[in-house]
Amino acid sequence: MSTVSTEAAAVGLPGARGVLPADGALEKTPLETYVPPAQPSLIGLSRAQISEQFAAIGVASAQRRMRVQQLWHWMYVRGARTFGEMTSVSKDMRAELEKRVTVDRPEVVAEQISNDGTRKWLLRLPSGNNLEKPHEVECVYIPETDRGTLCVSSQVGCTLNCSFCHTGTQRLVRNLTAGEIVGQIMVARDRLNDWPSPPGEEKTHRLVTNIVMMGMGEPLYNFDAVRDALLIVADNEGIGISKRRITLSTSGVVPNIVRTGEEIGVMLAISLHAVRDELRNELVPLNRKYPIAELMQACRDYPAASNARRITFEYVMLKGVNDSLEDAKLLVKLLKGIHAKINLIPFNPWPGTRYECSDWDQIEKFSEYIFNAGYSSPVRTPRGRDILAACGQLKSETEKLSARERQALRAMAMTD
Ligand code: SAH
Ligand code: SF4
C-alpha cells in the first residue's frame, strides 16, 4: 500500500502533490529536498564551510586557513577516503573531525563495463522523508584515445519534459547537492584508480580529463549546487580540471546561461534539436518560455565564446521530424555570427517512444551540408549502448518498471 501512495504522489494521480507538470506546465517541482545525514561529508563543501568545521572543534582562527588547505589537498589531490590516511593532520584533530564529518562519496551499487570500454556506475543517494527507497543516479565514463570524459548527472529525474528524452518522462525526485555532483567525479577516479600512486606522485596522464554535465537532469535548474561543484572541480589546488575541459549542457534556461557565463565560466552546450519555434516547442517545451531568438541572443552574449571556445549545439537526429536539408539550411542561418560547432546525436530509442532515429544516409547528408557551410559537425558515436549508457538512456532499465507501475496506477485511477 505504501508503494502505491508513494507512486501516486510521483505521477500526479489524485491526492498527489503536483509532481508532474499539470497540462501545459513546463516545469516539475521536486518531490523532496535533501536531508543531510547526522555526519555530513566534506566533499562538495566550500573552503569557508570546511573552515567552520575546524572552528567547531576549537581550531584557532589563525590556523584554520592552513588546515583547510591540508584537507583540501588530501581530499582532492590524493583522493583520501578516510581521515586516517591524512598523516600530515595531527591524530587528535583527525579524531575530532571523525566524530563530526566524513569524506564519503555516494555509494556505488553497480558497475557495468561496455564492450567499447565505456563504464557506467549506478550510485545510491539518500532519500528524504517522502520516499522510502533510496534514489539512484548514473554516471558514465567514456574513454577515447586523447581524453577520458565523465558524464555527470545533476538531478534525480529532470525538471523538464523534452518529448524525445526518457529522463523527461520521469518524475523530478530532487536536485543533487554539490557534494553529490563532485562525488560522482570522486567515485569515477576511485574506481578507475585515477589518483596519484604512490601518494604524492602525480601520474603522467590522468584518466578523467574532461567533464560533461550531460547526465540526468537539467543542470541550470539546479544552478547553485552545479556552480559550487564545478568551481571545486576546476580548483587548481584540487582536482584541477580546466574550465575549458568542462562542458555544461542546457536545454536553454536563458537567465541561467547568463549566470553560467558570469559565475562559472565553463564551456557551454545547447540542446537545440530544432530550428523553428513550432517544432522546438514540441521537442523541448521550455522553448515556449525561452524561444529560439532569445536563446541565440544569450549565446551571442556568452562571455569568452571565441573560435577556441566555441559553443556546442546538440542536435538529436529524429527521422522525418527535424532531419531535412531545409532544417540544415535554417540551422546554418541561425548560427550565423556565433562561434559554434554542431554535434549531431543519433537518437537513442527507449521503450514507448514515438520517435525513430534518422536513416544513416540522411544523417550524413545533413552533416555534409553543415560541414560545407564551414561548421565542424561530428556525428556523436553512440557509446556504451550495450549497457544503456548512451545519451537519453540513463536509468531507462530501472525506470521501465516504474513506467509500467505508472500505467497500472493510471488505469486504477480511471476506474476509481
Ligand atoms: N538536460 C540537459 C543535459 C542532459 S541531456 C540538456 O538537455 O542539455 C544530454 C543530451 O542528450 C542533450 O542534448 C539531450 O537532448 C540528449 N538526449 C536526450 N535524450 C536523448 C535520446 N533519447 N537520444 C539521443 N540524445 C538524447
Ligand atoms: Fe531534461 Fe535534458 Fe532530458 Fe530535456 S533533454 S528532459 S532538459 S535531461
Side-chain angles (χ1 to χ4, degrees), residues 15 42 49 56 65 80 137 140 192 206-207 216 383 395 397 416:
L42 295 180
Q49 288 168 318
R65 211 183 122 90
V137 286
V140 177
L192 293 166
R206 289 231 206 142
L207 296 176
M216 290 174 75
R383 296 287 302 262
K395 272 229 61 223
E397 196 65 355
D416 267 352

Side-chain angles (χ1 to χ4, degrees), residues 244-311:
R244 299 176 66 135
R245 289 179 172 270
I246 302 176
T247 303
L248 184 149
S249 173
T250 177
S251 56
V253 190
V254 167
N256 286 349
I257 291 177
V258 180
R259 288 186 69 194
T260 302
E262 289 167 357
E263 299 177 39
I264 320 181
V266 291
M267 307 293 282
L268 191 63
I270 302 286
S271 290
L272 187 63
H273 307 315
V275 287
R276 287 168 285 116
D277 278 321
E278 201 194 349
L279 177 60
R280 195 162 190 271
N281 287 347
E282 189 188 313
L283 298 179
V284 185
L286 185 70
N287 194 68
R288 287 188 255 142
K289 193 165 180 179
Y290 306 115
I292 293 175
E294 271 183 49
L295 180 57
M296 289 301 137
Q297 194 53 46
C299 292
R300 282 195 190 88
D301 296 341
Y302 194 71
S306 67
N307 246 344
R309 291 174 64 107
R310 283 177 296 174
I311 297 175

